[in-house]
Amino acid sequence: VITELRKRIKHIIYIVKENRTYDQVLGDLGRGNGDAKLTEFGWSITPNLHQLAKSFVDLDNFYDPGDVSGDGWPWSTSGRESDFGLKAVPLIYADRGTAYEYEGVNRNINVGLSSLAARKKANPDTSDDPDLLPGAINVVAPDGPVDTPAGRGYVWDAALRAELRVRNYGFFVDLSRYTKSAGNPIPRERDPFNAHLQVAYVADPKLIGKTDEYFRGIDLGFPDYYRELEWEREFDNYVKQRALPELELVRFGGDHMGGFDSALDGVNTPEKQQADNDYAVGRLVEKVTKSPYKSDTLIFVVEDDAQNGADHVDSHRSTAYIVGPYIKQGAVISDRYTTVNLLRSIEELLNLDHLNINTASQCPMLKIFDLEKESWNFVAQPSNYLAQTQLPLPHRAKGSSSTHDGHYWAEKTAQFDFSREDNLGDPEAFNRIIWAGLKNNIPYPGD
């Protein structure tokens, strides 16, 4: 199967989202091993994700190895953790020192840029000390296979070693200038390309020149809708030039939720933020179906971790969606798969070397494929919850009201810092607030 698929599949779009469990989203799917009592963002809020799971494969036994984003992102991009990360993640999440160093920055310094001048250009707030972490060595980066340079064990490194083209949308972007406290914050510009505003400074040297500088990194008050529009802008150009890269990395992290007090265009409740994320994924999928790349492109969608929701099977069980040609349709696949199996599948399809012993020793997701299913289609539908936002939707259905307005959610979550992912301090408290606001008098799930 893999040998034949390599002849047919030429492009992979790899989407990483943030922090949801299977039951929390797909518990009400009506098939598979779901518990609708635990569902918070069901059909009415995430119609596109539900339709993807129903139309293609419902992976109801899929797990994220990471516990939080600090180890979830290394698992999602390299199929392992580093020694440094394994020791330091418990410290930062217990608020006992260290910085968030798992997506390119070390000690809040962009080590993707090797010179002080380059760092100052990207962020004028950078220290003037030329000896502060000099060079472009990331102490958290995983090592690659034998005979590769140290710290080069990410999936894009493998693609580049195979002389494939890579394009990055939002992975490993330095977030330091998104905060209100930044000396020179980057505005939340809806159309940064036409505004000639660079909004993304990547923090991995291998992704410099391969990153869309107009695709905003993780910023919980900025809708994924506009990120998808920027991705579409480049995709249209690739269609015209017949030059779509073999591997695209896309970050749609709005399903993390947060920043309700300052969210753009009224996307300021959990329902609206989940619906926005859902619609961005759906629009990207639909765009591919209407392009010349429909017959040779697969889309892999995964959560980095599953820490912010309940699940009746396991706290690591999460959602994954595999979409495109030669994927089974209308199937429930209950084989046990993890993010490592997903990465192994990408390795096989693009004929990459193994990232490490983890991907080398795990099987690709063979059960999801069907060489007879070349034809496929998808039409994205915005959730009715988005009708109450100011997003420029192509058409507006009758709106659905959120359980509470943005003021309620801003007040209830005022204690949390949403300046980056997983900076909540007490994620359990956040989970309880979301549950109580959505479920009213239903007791919070027990241990």
Side-chain angles (χ1 to χ4, degrees):
V1 172
I2 290 297
T3 301
E4 185 59 35
L5 284 170
R6 282 182 186 167
K7 301 176 185 177
R8 305 183 188 186
I9 299 301
K10 304 302 180 184
H11 310 277
I12 300 290
I13 300 175
Y14 182 33
I15 300 173
V16 178
K17 306 189 319 105
E18 288 279 338
N19 299 16
R20 305 272 70 86
T21 69
Y22 180 93
D23 278 337
Q24 194 178 28
V25 179
L26 296 180
D28 68 339
L29 185 62
R31 66 202 313 174
N33 185 16
D35 185 346
K37 296 189 299 294
L38 299 178
T39 302
E40 295 175 278
F41 308 112
W43 269 101
S44 63
I45 298 173
T46 56
N48 295 289
L49 298 178
H50 280 73
Q51 194 59 47
L52 291 175
K54 182 179 180 181
S55 298
F56 295 92
V57 288
D58 171 25
L59 297 168
D60 69 347
N61 199 23
F62 185 91
Y63 300 85
D64 297 330
D67 292 296
V68 293
S69 291
D71 54 9
W73 267 87
W75 277 108
S76 300
T77 54
S78 61
R80 58 164 289 189
E81 292 181 78
S82 68
D83 179 71
F84 177 93
L86 191 67
K87 296 170 181 174
V89 164
L91 296 177
I92 182 175
Y93 281 83
D95 197 22
R96 295 177 180 174
T98 77
Y100 186 88
E101 306 187 78
Y102 312 104
E103 296 179 48
V105 297
N106 288 176
R107 297 191 216 165
N108 300 318
I109 298 296
N110 185 342
V111 293
L113 303 171
S114 59
S115 71
L116 178 59
R119 293 174 182 175
K120 294 286 284 187
K121 181 180 179 181
N123 181 8
D125 293 340
T126 301
S127 168
D128 291 323
D129 183 355
D131 297 320
L132 185 61
L133 302 184
I137 301 299
N138 179 2
V139 300
V140 191
D143 289 341
V146 176
D147 298 329
T148 61
R152 299 261 54 96
Y154 294 113
V155 64
W156 53 86
D157 293 314
L160 293 172
R161 285 193 293 271
E163 299 184 345
L164 302 181
R165 294 163 298 167
V166 174
R167 191 62 172 166
N168 173 38
Y169 301 89
F171 278 37
F172 282 39
V173 168
D174 183 357
L175 309 180
S176 58
R177 289 179 58 194
Y178 292 165
T179 64
K180 295 178 181 178
S181 59
N184 187 20
I186 300 174
R188 283 175 174 164
E189 171 60 52
R190 296 170 180 81
D191 186 4
F193 175 77
N194 284 314
H196 307 291
L197 176 67
Q198 182 174 347
V199 298
Y201 293 87
V202 73
D204 184 287
K206 289 291 184 178
L207 293 176
I208 293 176
K210 300 173 179 63
T211 296
D212 182 357
E213 297 177 343
Y214 303 109
F215 188 99
R216 196 174 185 92
I218 189 76
D219 179 351
L220 300 178
F222 187 81
D224 281 331
Y225 178 90
Y226 295 112
R227 293 185 177 89
E228 195 280 333
L229 286 183
E230 170 56 24
W231 174 86
E232 277 196 23
R233 181 191 66 79
E234 286 212 340
F235 185 78
D236 286 341
N237 287 332
Y238 287 132
V239 168
K240 291 177 183 177
Q241 300 167 10
R242 295 296 296 172
L244 184 68
E246 286 81 8
L247 176 63
E248 287 198 342
L249 313 165
V250 181
R251 183 171 197 172
F252 288 146
D255 60 332
H256 180 291
M257 301 181 296
F260 304 112
D261 60 338
S262 60
L264 202 64
D265 289 350
V267 187
N268 58 1
T269 71
E271 296 99 328
K272 294 175 185 177
Q273 292 186 350
Q274 294 290 338
D276 164 61
N277 175 265
D278 167 83
Y279 191 41
V281 173
R283 282 176 60 95
L284 185 150
V285 173
E286 180 180 351
K287 189 72 173 178
V288 174
T289 68
K290 295 179 177 179
S291 78
Y293 293 106
K294 174 181 179 179
S295 62
D296 62 6
T297 300
L298 284 181
I299 303 165
F300 289 77
V301 187
V302 71
E303 302 284 333
D304 69 326
D305 63 71
Q307 69 164 315
N308 287 143
D311 189 89
H312 82 282
V313 174
D314 189 278
S315 64
H316 287 256
R317 193 173 71 133
S318 188
T319 60
Y321 312 88
I322 320 297
V323 183
Y326 313 115
I327 300 298
K328 289 181 179 177
Q329 298 177 11
V332 176
I333 305 294
S334 297
D335 290 52
R336 187 184 189 280
Y337 290 134
T338 74
T339 305
V340 180
N341 299 100
L342 187 148
L343 286 170
R344 172 64 186 269
S345 302
I346 293 176
E347 288 176 354
E348 293 292 345
L349 291 168
L350 294 181
N351 201 17
L352 309 179
D353 55 16
H354 298 305
L355 302 180
N356 49 58
I357 193 172
N358 289 340
T359 60
S361 59
Q362 292 297 304
C363 295
M365 302 168 72
L366 295 176
K367 289 290 186 69
I368 70 174
F369 298 111
D370 184 344
L371 294 176
E372 303 299 320
K373 299 294 185 181
E374 179 179 3
S375 177
W376 69 288
N377 288 286
F378 186 80
V379 177
Q381 296 291 335
S383 164
N384 289 344
Y385 285 92
L386 293 181
Q388 294 189 337
T389 71
Q390 288 77 60
L391 294 176
L393 304 176
H395 57 84
R396 289 186 179 274
K398 182 179 179 181
S400 296
S401 297
S402 298
T403 52
H404 301 283
D405 62 17
H407 296 293
Y408 168 91
W409 292 106
E411 180 180 330
K412 290 293 185 180
T413 60
Q415 71 197 77
F416 301 114
D417 179 2
F418 294 109
S419 61
R420 66 162 176 78
E421 70 278 44
D422 283 13
N423 203 29
L424 301 177
D426 187 351
E428 176 70 5
F430 179 71
N431 293 351
R432 287 177 176 272
I433 288 170
I434 298 298
W435 177 274
L438 296 176
K439 295 288 194 176
N440 295 317
N441 296 322
I442 298 177
Y444 187 75
D447 294 337

